[in-house]
Amino acid sequence: MKALVYLGPAKKALEERPKPEIAAATDAIIKITKTTICGTDLHILKGDVPSCLPGRILGHEGVGIVDQTGPAVTAFKPGDRVLISCISACGKCIYCRKLMFSHCTTGGWILGNSIDGTQAEFVRIPHADTSLYLMPDGADEEALVMLSDILPTGFECGVLNGRVQPGNTVAIVGAGPIGLAALLTAQFYSPAAIIMIDLDDNRLDVARRFGATACVNSADGKAAATIMKLTGNLGVDTAIEAVGIPATFELCEQIVAPGGTIANIGVHGTAVALHLECLWDRNITITTRLVDTASTPTLLNILHSHRIDPKLLITHRFTLDRILDAYETFAHAASTRALKVIIEA
Amino acid sequence: MKALVYLGPAKKALEERPKPEIAAATDAIIKITKTTICGTDLHILKGDVPSCLPGRILGHEGVGIVDQTGPAVTAFKPGDRVLISCISACGKCIYCRKLMFSHCTTGGWILGNSIDGTQAEFVRIPHADTSLYLMPDGADEEALVMLSDILPTGFECGVLNGRVQPGNTVAIVGAGPIGLAALLTAQFYSPAAIIMIDLDDNRLDVARRFGATACVNSADGKAAATIMKLTGNLGVDTAIEAVGIPATFELCEQIVAPGGTIANIGVHGTAVALHLECLWDRNITITTRLVDTASTPTLLNILHSHRIDPKLLITHRFTLDRILDAYETFAHAASTRALKVIIEA
Amino acid sequence: MKALVYLGPAKKALEERPKPEIAAATDAIIKITKTTICGTDLHILKGDVPSCLPGRILGHEGVGIVDQTGPAVTAFKPGDRVLISCISACGKCIYCRKLMFSHCTTGGWILGNSIDGTQAEFVRIPHADTSLYLMPDGADEEALVMLSDILPTGFECGVLNGRVQPGNTVAIVGAGPIGLAALLTAQFYSPAAIIMIDLDDNRLDVARRFGATACVNSADGKAAATIMKLTGNLGVDTAIEAVGIPATFELCEQIVAPGGTIANIGVHGTAVALHLECLWDRNITITTRLVDTASTPTLLNILHSHRIDPKLLITHRFTLDRILDAYETFAHAASTRALKVIIEA
Amino acid sequence: MKALVYLGPAKKALEERPKPEIAAATDAIIKITKTTICGTDLHILKGDVPSCLPGRILGHEGVGIVDQTGPAVTAFKPGDRVLISCISACGKCIYCRKLMFSHCTTGGWILGNSIDGTQAEFVRIPHADTSLYLMPDGADEEALVMLSDILPTGFECGVLNGRVQPGNTVAIVGAGPIGLAALLTAQFYSPAAIIMIDLDDNRLDVARRFGATACVNSADGKAAATIMKLTGNLGVDTAIEAVGIPATFELCEQIVAPGGTIANIGVHGTAVALHLECLWDRNITITTRLVDTASTPTLLNILHSHRIDPKLLITHRFTLDRILDAYETFAHAASTRALKVIIEA
């Protein structure tokens, strides 16, 4: 089968690989119909993810059709159309028992990382019963691909951890795909204001169309002051960090209201300065989270009720043959205006 | 009347001052019977609290007898024995409406800071109806002094914010009075283990007597490794920071379990390094808080039920005449082994 | 001044009354600009509310202009435009300290009940600082009248107590003004389905326009079966009772899913049968609540953000001179199709 | 093997039965070392549990040693000492995903009900990986038997659902084994008062020894008045129903404070009168629950920390040979003063 293989920092290729086989009784083999590329895949290609070794098939998102199941799989059968979660969960360990699937002792984020992933014609899914979701009748495949990772990440790490509530004020720092996913899912809770902050006016335009009530281009270095002014000097109830660098995290520290929450989504490579000399008495909460995908059933229900249109995030479409072009397009988002790209397998 | 007055960095004196008078309709004048000294008073004397100007009577803790009430005070009358909260709360503003009394727009921590405090024969209490508590019949005055600040601080900022739960594992970094108050109140929730960390073996001995299940002297620089070993390499569900310096906060970062909470109590003077490169995917929560004293009714109930003995924290007793000696004793805790000192007015 | 006075069961009149005067330091006198009639006013007129004695001016909703303030009022001054809460709250008692204003020991629902109310040219508001809300600039007076009682009641007693969550399934039994208020505010949380149940097809048509995803006329006695079918035999996560009779409460018992919640809003006059022989092992929650209006600041924020249009509930308008006609219209809602009527003072 | 078999209403026998065999890949066979009898077993013998057919081996509690495991079992191996949960959970279905194991679509309470149970030399446990718990080193087997059902039932259905909190007031109606389990576990949260209500002075004496702060014999029909007096006419924050008849549930309705919770544990055979004409405006919560045993890991931690001694509940010991005597003793608790009986297999 064809597969996109990581070959070491800055190197990848579309290669021919053997079709995966059932390795454990709880495995399933899925024939991929649609997949996509994540910002994390670019991190891997920079060499920033040591757990991902050269030779690995990338990709942790997608939908497909069950091809084979191991003897202990009871919830799925060949022919079922399924959503693949980016997080594999055994359902048994101490973390799974707390619905903290991201820390599953034999799962977590392993697809396209420590085991082969979804940017291929077939993929092996461990712990299939608790890592796949049946596609609802009439569901749109492309919309569903957004439920593998990006929507639950924005929702869980940003919106739920950030305790977005009706009538509250939210700021989202970073209007890339993840920030926009937070923007779409924050609206489930009817906040009174959602302020979007980015350096790219194009992305801010997109944010405005997606429901932001105010947009701030932070290029002038005055974003904190602007946001304080927009909030009557109260600050925001929830500040969502969706970039992953010190400057954006520290912006969140400056704009969070007393009693508010900073919800970190960004993947950080270095420490940030936590200004406890200012914040120790501000009654704030800071959260971090690797997506658990515990909210996937909720997101499937909401998708089914048409209260969200995740396809808004899709800007480009490719076939698996042209996945290298897809990577080019996705990696140069500033010029291509790419958000999420769909790859048809 | 006699009063302990702050005269600028490192300067204080016991002076004669006029008795305070009702200034607003919601004020009460309280004749102090017992007060105490807080670590924050020492901070003021170092010049670290700019809101506290020379000439200020210090002190934000104490019990006493209502002497006079303004015309709008309805909950108290002269002769009532009362507990003074360290936090003054109007009960009306947007923060008080959220029970975030520490951020009351006309109150908060003002006693012995921006207005005259309790280390005197009399004190004026603004917003008396919502800043004083009637002493229950038969209550012990000295025990109650511990409810002005130190117990609600340990309980709210450490235990409640830290989400201590039955069966969980707790570490408290710092076995000074505040850390010990956290230790006493953490036991309301029956955690399975409470590990106490300090540099002072004497304080660790006290902690053991107060209910710590393990004690770690961090002088060898190996506290993190020791705690990980004690917890079977899982880390602690709750890490309470009760010192206020970067090293102790960063120790909390090292020992918090995935899904756990770091609850900061310490008053910090500088930024700390938040190692998001390690923590971004650990699903942790960090909280800060200035005590709201919203838990005072709860603490009064528990005190009344004899499930806690706050007098354990009291090591020395003085009269107001000798308050300068009390400061000496409290400021040299390493040699005097002082925890809380009672000053009888 | 003119005032609508309750004269005993089935008797009321528009009478001339003296303008109210400040009685306590915390009172304010409000010149009413707009008020409305509540279903509870009809209950009083049936003689069902013993605390309301003949001679009482009715009404507990409205907006107006501050005319005078007592000496202890600090948050409002004459000329301020204000929203009147149906619940008076002292802000000091043990219940107010828990934000349970409905049980305030010197307040609660007293307006137009145990003290004179708002269906008059002027009204005296006790505990003014904590029972009035400043009208935001540019706010619509008629929309705000819906925030005195009906919207917080639907929101707090139905939606918040019912724990409506994104993606969940909600049933609201009763499509009168209160049920419709629950329907409008339930949408703050993006449930996947909201099923509305009533006997009146006209009201169900209104419900459909207000956002119900399915409507069930329960006249055929098969509502429970229909709802189970609509939910794939799972039942609903939240069942909101907005009528107040045994049949509608017991319908909620039949349709609530395992793990779900029945949130009672209805004012009941008799006991209902709680079928614990069926429900003891179903892991359900049942809640009751008199509105606390603790959510009013939230609702003001949401109103300001235009995420809700409470004026949808207003069907008729009258002047105070014609308040008897307003009562006729409101009391015969089946024929007049009245929901809420605005009375201009 | 020997097994206690239900033979229809009022009929049971100790019979010889074939040793159970692995039927599904996720099964385990456990050699029972210790088991016990539950009040529910007596219900079955009265013919009150239609799902339990004649021929069934009774019992849903116990500890033992893993004898065999199915090929899909990964968490346990032969020789492991294990605690058997009374609730079997697949870990995969929509209810297990919400930690509502009691409603598992292929599990729940099935042991000794719809499949053969633990009052035998061996038992087959379905979904073994998610229905068994490894015995901690050094754990006491008899103490652990109390964690199969009775302690999690008292804790989850009574204490957690009842939201027992530090400083609160709790009433427990019924001082049988379940009520006493609620009493033991309520103390994890340090309530200020725990009032125990029963008709049997002997059981109230036991309750006093177990930590009740007040005991009320309800034989005089004045229990509600007595409890209101004990609580200063406020009522109790939490009322736990641990009997299962209308009179005791209605007592809870009479004594619950505004804002309080009634947590039902009792197995009811008929409807009760819910006095909504009194309760509609009292802001109360009522909960029902079949134990999920989701708290078992927590209880194991607490047991390990010696903060509870579940063996207090054990009054008698028998060998499996004499299980008919054990039933006699347990069924006549009023005269034998039996609480829990241990049966050694």
Side-chain angles (χ1 to χ4, degrees):
Chain A
M1 66 172 190
K2 280 172 291 189
L4 189 284
V5 180
Y6 170 63
L7 298 170
K11 286 184 282 186
K12 61 182 179 297
L14 185 64
E15 297 190 347
E16 193 65 22
R17 284 295 190 92
K19 185 181 157 186
E21 293 175 3
I22 297 288
T26 48
D27 285 352
I29 306 298
I30 310 300
K31 181 178 186 340
I32 296 289
T33 52
K34 294 203 167 60
T35 182
T36 184
I37 306 172
C38 179
T40 316
D41 297 322
L42 303 183
H43 277 287
I44 292 172
L45 284 163
K46 285 185 190 141
D48 286 351
V49 182
S51 52
C52 184
L53 301 177
R56 179 71 60 237
I57 300 174
L58 296 184
H60 50 268
E61 300 166 275
V63 296
I65 299 167
V66 176
D67 182 65
Q68 296 175 57
T69 56
V73 173
T74 60
F76 301 99
K77 60 180 189 309
D80 283 346
R81 304 181 77 85
V82 292
L83 165 66
I84 299 166
S85 176
C86 66
I87 297 295
S88 304
C90 73
K92 305 173 180 182
C93 70
I94 58 163
Y95 295 110
C96 285
R97 293 287 187 109
K98 299 176 183 176
L99 307 182
M100 235 172 88
F101 305 131
S102 59
H103 286 71
C104 173
T105 53
T106 60
W109 173 41
I110 54 176
L111 280 182
N113 176 0
S114 56
I115 68 171
D116 283 338
T118 58
Q119 293 169 5
E121 292 179 72
F122 292 88
V123 65
R124 181 180 68 87
I125 301 294
H127 306 311
D129 277 343
T130 37
S131 307
L132 297 171
Y133 294 86
L134 208 58
M135 271 180 60
D137 285 341
D140 182 290
E141 275 201 338
E142 291 188 353
L144 273 182
V145 174
M146 303 298 111
L147 266 67
S148 285
D149 178 345
I150 191 162
L151 278 185
T153 296
F155 185 51
E156 295 178 9
C157 308
V159 176
L160 291 180
N161 268 19
R163 297 185 293 189
V164 175
Q165 287 298 312
N168 276 12
T169 302
V170 178
I172 301 174
V173 184
I178 276 291
L180 293 169
L183 170 60
L184 287 174
T185 55
Q187 295 172 69
F188 297 162
Y189 288 96
S190 308
I194 311 180
I195 305 166
M196 209 80 190
I197 300 100
D198 204 288
L199 290 163
D200 179 337
D201 280 328
N202 169 48
R203 288 194 156 179
L204 292 175
D205 284 343
V206 174
R208 210 171 276 114
R209 286 202 311 277
F210 281 23
T213 59
C215 287
V216 175
N217 189 312
S218 52
D220 63 2
K222 298 179 184 165
T226 305
I227 293 160
M228 291 310 287
K229 196 170 165 190
L230 280 169
T231 58
N233 277 315
L234 291 172
V236 297
D237 299 304
T238 302
I240 297 176
E241 206 282 346
V243 178
I245 59 172
T248 48
F249 190 88
E250 292 179 35
L251 175 58
C252 292
E253 296 183 31
Q254 291 159 25
I255 62 176
V256 66
T261 302
I262 299 174
N264 185 77
I265 314 181
V267 177
H268 291 258
T270 62
V272 306
L274 179 62
H275 291 282
L276 284 180
E277 77 279 17
C278 304
L279 296 170
W280 73 270
D281 64 351
R282 299 267 290 182
N283 299 36
I284 65 156
T285 300
I286 299 169
T287 64
T288 73
R289 189 169 182 180
L290 177 59
V291 65
D292 293 297
T293 65
S295 69
T296 304
T298 292
L299 292 168
L300 283 167
N301 282 347
I302 297 175
L303 183 66
H304 193 63
S305 72
H306 304 292
R307 287 191 186 266
I308 190 172
D309 180 6
K311 291 179 70 173
L312 289 168
L313 290 164
I314 300 168
T315 52
H316 297 75
R317 288 167 180 83
F318 298 87
T319 57
L320 183 55
D321 280 335
R322 295 188 49 231
I323 191 168
L324 295 174
D325 294 341
Y327 264 90
E328 280 304 290
T329 299
F330 184 67
H332 298 91
S335 59
T336 63
R337 302 198 170 184
L339 295 171
K340 290 295 279 186
V341 301
I342 285 285
I343 295 151
E344 194 161 346
Chain B
M1 66 173 190
K2 281 173 289 190
L4 190 283
V5 181
Y6 170 63
L7 298 170
K11 286 185 282 187
K12 61 182 180 295
L14 184 64
E15 297 190 347
E16 193 65 23
R17 283 297 190 91
K19 185 181 157 187
E21 293 175 4
I22 298 288
T26 48
D27 285 352
I29 304 299
I30 310 300
K31 179 175 186 341
I32 295 291
T33 52
K34 293 206 167 58
T35 182
T36 184
I37 305 172
C38 179
T40 316
D41 297 321
L42 302 184
H43 277 287
I44 291 172
L45 284 163
K46 285 186 190 140
D48 285 351
V49 182
S51 51
C52 184
L53 301 177
R56 178 72 60 238
I57 300 174
L58 295 183
H60 49 267
E61 301 166 275
V63 295
I65 300 166
V66 176
D67 182 66
Q68 296 175 55
T69 56
V73 173
T74 60
F76 301 99
K77 60 180 190 307
D80 283 347
R81 302 182 79 84
V82 292
L83 165 67
I84 299 167
S85 175
C86 66
I87 296 295
S88 304
C90 75
K92 305 173 180 182
C93 71
I94 58 163
Y95 294 110
C96 285
R97 293 286 188 110
K98 298 176 186 176
L99 307 182
M100 235 172 88
F101 304 131
S102 59
H103 286 71
C104 173
T105 54
T106 59
W109 174 40
I110 54 176
L111 279 182
N113 177 359
S114 57
I115 67 171
D116 283 338
T118 58
Q119 292 169 5
E121 291 179 74
F122 292 89
V123 64
R124 180 180 67 89
I125 301 295
H127 306 310
D129 276 344
T130 38
S131 306
L132 297 171
Y133 293 86
L134 207 58
M135 271 180 61
D137 285 342
D140 181 291
E141 274 200 339
E142 290 188 353
L144 273 182
V145 173
M146 303 298 110
L147 266 68
S148 285
D149 178 346
I150 192 162
L151 277 184
T153 295
F155 186 50
E156 295 178 9
C157 308
V159 177
L160 291 180
N161 268 20
R163 298 185 293 189
V164 174
Q165 287 298 312
N168 276 10
T169 302
V170 179
I172 301 174
V173 185
I178 275 289
L180 292 170
L183 171 60
L184 288 174
T185 55
Q187 295 171 69
F188 297 161
Y189 288 97
S190 307
I194 311 180
I195 305 166
M196 209 80 191
I197 299 101
D198 203 288
L199 291 163
D200 179 338
D201 279 329
N202 170 48
R203 288 195 157 179
L204 292 174
D205 284 343
V206 174
R208 210 170 277 114
R209 286 204 308 277
F210 282 24
T213 59
C215 289
V216 175
N217 188 313
S218 51
D220 63 2
K222 297 179 184 166
T226 306
I227 294 160
M228 291 311 286
K229 196 170 165 191
L230 281 169
T231 59
N233 277 314
L234 291 172
V236 297
D237 299 303
T238 301
I240 296 176
E241 205 285 345
V243 178
I245 60 172
T248 47
F249 190 89
E250 292 179 36
L251 176 57
C252 292
E253 297 182 33
Q254 291 160 24
I255 62 176
V256 66
T261 302
I262 299 173
N264 184 76
I265 315 181
V267 177
H268 291 258
T270 62
V272 306
L274 179 63
H275 291 282
L276 284 180
E277 77 279 17
C278 303
L279 296 171
W280 73 269
D281 65 352
R282 299 267 289 183
N283 300 33
I284 64 156
T285 300
I286 299 169
T287 63
T288 74
R289 188 169 182 179
L290 177 60
V291 64
D292 293 298
T293 64
S295 68
T296 304
T298 292
L299 291 168
L300 284 167
N301 282 346
I302 297 175
L303 183 65
H304 193 63
S305 72
H306 305 292
R307 287 191 186 267
I308 189 171
D309 180 7
K311 290 179 72 173
L312 289 169
L313 291 164
I314 300 169
T315 52
H316 296 75
R317 289 169 179 82
F318 299 86
T319 56
L320 184 55
D321 281 335
R322 295 189 47 233
I323 191 167
L324 295 175
D325 294 341
Y327 264 91
E328 281 304 291
T329 299
F330 184 68
H332 298 90
S335 58
T336 64
R337 301 198 170 183
L339 295 171
K340 291 294 280 185
V341 301
I342 284 286
I343 296 151
E344 194 160 345
Chain C
M1 67 172 191
K2 280 172 293 189
L4 191 282
V5 180
Y6 169 62
L7 299 171
K11 286 184 283 186
K12 61 181 179 297
L14 184 64
E15 297 190 348
E16 193 65 23
R17 283 295 190 91
K19 186 181 156 184
E21 293 175 4
I22 297 288
T26 48
D27 286 351
I29 306 298
I30 310 301
K31 181 177 185 339
I32 296 291
T33 52
K34 293 204 167 59
T35 183
T36 183
I37 305 172
C38 179
T40 315
D41 297 322
L42 302 184
H43 276 287
I44 292 173
L45 284 163
K46 283 185 191 143
D48 285 351
V49 182
S51 51
C52 184
L53 302 177
R56 178 71 61 239
I57 300 174
L58 295 183
H60 49 268
E61 301 167 274
V63 296
I65 300 167
V66 176
D67 182 65
Q68 296 175 56
T69 56
V73 173
T74 60
F76 301 100
K77 60 180 190 307
D80 283 347
R81 303 182 78 85
V82 291
L83 164 67
I84 298 167
S85 175
C86 65
I87 297 294
S88 303
C90 74
K92 306 172 179 180
C93 70
I94 58 163
Y95 294 110
C96 285
R97 293 288 187 109
K98 299 176 185 176
L99 308 183
M100 234 172 87
F101 304 132
S102 59
H103 287 70
C104 173
T105 54
T106 59
W109 174 40
I110 53 175
L111 280 181
N113 177 2
S114 56
I115 67 171
D116 284 336
T118 58
Q119 292 169 5
E121 291 178 74
F122 292 89
V123 64
R124 179 179 69 89
I125 301 294
H127 305 311
D129 276 344
T130 38
S131 306
L132 297 171
Y133 293 86
L134 208 57
M135 272 180 62
D137 286 341
D140 182 290
E141 274 201 340
E142 289 188 355
L144 273 182
V145 173
M146 303 298 110
L147 267 68
S148 286
D149 178 345
I150 191 161
L151 278 184
T153 296
F155 185 51
E156 295 178 9
C157 308
V159 176
L160 292 180
N161 269 19
R163 298 184 293 189
V164 174
Q165 287 298 312
N168 276 11
T169 302
V170 179
I172 301 174
V173 184
I178 274 292
L180 293 169
L183 171 60
L184 288 173
T185 55
Q187 295 171 69
F188 296 162
Y189 288 96
S190 309
I194 312 180
I195 305 167
M196 209 79 190
I197 300 100
D198 203 290
L199 291 163
D200 178 338
D201 279 329
N202 170 48
R203 288 193 156 179
L204 291 174
D205 283 343
V206 174
R208 210 171 276 114
R209 287 204 309 278
F210 282 24
T213 59
C215 288
V216 175
N217 188 313
S218 51
D220 64 1
K222 298 179 184 165
T226 306
I227 294 159
M228 291 310 287
K229 196 169 166 191
L230 281 169
T231 58
N233 277 315
L234 290 172
V236 297
D237 299 304
T238 301
I240 297 176
E241 205 284 346
V243 178
I245 59 172
T248 47
F249 190 88
E250 291 178 37
L251 175 57
C252 291
E253 296 183 34
Q254 290 161 24
I255 62 177
V256 66
T261 302
I262 300 174
N264 184 77
I265 315 180
V267 177
H268 291 258
T270 62
V272 306
L274 180 61
H275 290 283
L276 284 179
E277 77 280 17
C278 304
L279 297 170
W280 73 268
D281 65 352
R282 300 268 289 183
N283 299 35
I284 64 156
T285 300
I286 299 169
T287 63
T288 73
R289 188 169 182 181
L290 177 60
V291 64
D292 292 298
T293 65
S295 69
T296 304
T298 292
L299 292 169
L300 284 167
N301 283 347
I302 298 174
L303 183 66
H304 194 64
S305 72
H306 304 294
R307 286 191 188 266
I308 190 173
D309 180 7
K311 290 179 72 173
L312 288 168
L313 290 165
I314 300 169
T315 53
H316 297 75
R317 288 168 180 83
F318 299 87
T319 56
L320 183 56
D321 281 336
R322 293 188 48 232
I323 191 169
L324 295 175
D325 293 342
Y327 264 91
E328 280 303 291
T329 299
F330 184 67
H332 298 91
S335 59
T336 62
R337 302 196 170 184
L339 294 172
K340 290 295 280 185
V341 300
I342 285 285
I343 295 152
E344 194 161 345
Chain D
M1 68 172 191
K2 280 171 289 186
L4 190 283
V5 181
Y6 170 61
L7 298 171
K11 285 185 282 187
K12 60 183 180 297
L14 185 63
E15 297 189 349
E16 193 66 23
R17 284 293 192 93
K19 185 181 157 186
E21 292 176 3
I22 298 288
T26 48
D27 285 351
I29 306 298
I30 310 301
K31 180 176 185 343
I32 296 290
T33 52
K34 293 203 168 63
T35 182
T36 184
I37 306 172
C38 179
T40 315
D41 296 322
L42 303 184
H43 277 288
I44 292 172
L45 283 163
K46 284 185 190 142
D48 285 351
V49 182
S51 51
C52 184
L53 301 177
R56 178 72 60 239
I57 300 174
L58 296 184
H60 50 268
E61 301 166 274
V63 296
I65 300 166
V66 177
D67 182 66
Q68 296 175 57
T69 56
V73 173
T74 60
F76 302 99
K77 60 180 190 307
D80 283 347
R81 303 182 77 84
V82 292
L83 164 67
I84 299 167
S85 176
C86 65
I87 297 294
S88 304
C90 74
K92 306 172 178 181
C93 71
I94 58 164
Y95 294 110
C96 285
R97 293 288 186 109
K98 299 176 184 176
L99 307 182
M100 235 171 89
F101 305 131
S102 59
H103 286 71
C104 173
T105 54
T106 60
W109 174 40
I110 54 176
L111 279 182
N113 176 1
S114 56
I115 68 171
D116 283 338
T118 58
Q119 293 169 4
E121 290 178 74
F122 293 88
V123 65
R124 180 181 68 88
I125 301 293
H127 306 310
D129 276 345
T130 37
S131 307
L132 297 171
Y133 293 86
L134 208 57
M135 270 180 61
D137 285 342
D140 181 289
E141 275 201 339
E142 291 189 352
L144 273 182
V145 173
M146 304 298 110
L147 266 67
S148 285
D149 179 345
I150 191 162
L151 277 184
T153 295
F155 185 50
E156 295 179 9
C157 307
V159 176
L160 291 180
N161 268 19
R163 297 184 295 189
V164 175
Q165 287 299 312
N168 276 10
T169 303
V170 178
I172 301 175
V173 184
I178 276 290
L180 293 169
L183 170 60
L184 287 174
T185 55
Q187 295 171 70
F188 296 162
Y189 289 97
S190 308
I194 311 180
I195 304 166
M196 209 78 189
I197 299 100
D198 204 289
L199 290 164
D200 179 337
D201 279 328
N202 170 47
R203 289 194 155 180
L204 292 175
D205 284 343
V206 174
R208 210 170 278 114
R209 287 203 309 278
F210 282 23
T213 59
C215 288
V216 175
N217 188 314
S218 51
D220 63 2
K222 298 179 184 166
T226 306
I227 294 160
M228 291 310 288
K229 195 169 166 192
L230 282 168
T231 59
N233 277 314
L234 291 172
V236 298
D237 299 305
T238 301
I240 296 176
E241 206 283 345
V243 178
I245 59 171
T248 47
F249 191 88
E250 292 178 36
L251 175 57
C252 292
E253 297 183 33
Q254 290 161 22
I255 62 176
V256 66
T261 301
I262 299 173
N264 185 77
I265 314 180
V267 178
H268 291 258
T270 62
V272 305
L274 180 61
H275 290 283
L276 284 179
E277 78 279 16
C278 304
L279 296 170
W280 73 269
D281 64 353
R282 300 267 290 183
N283 298 35
I284 64 156
T285 299
I286 299 169
T287 64
T288 73
R289 189 168 183 181
L290 177 59
V291 64
D292 292 299
T293 64
S295 68
T296 304
T298 292
L299 291 168
L300 284 166
N301 283 347
I302 297 175
L303 183 66
H304 193 63
S305 72
H306 304 293
R307 287 191 186 266
I308 190 172
D309 180 6
K311 290 178 72 173
L312 288 168
L313 290 164
I314 300 169
T315 52
H316 297 76
R317 288 167 180 83
F318 299 86
T319 56
L320 183 55
D321 282 334
R322 293 189 48 232
I323 190 168
L324 294 175
D325 294 341
Y327 265 90
E328 280 304 291
T329 299
F330 184 67
H332 298 91
S335 58
T336 62
R337 301 198 171 184
L339 294 172
K340 291 294 280 185
V341 301
I342 285 285
I343 296 152
E344 194 160 347

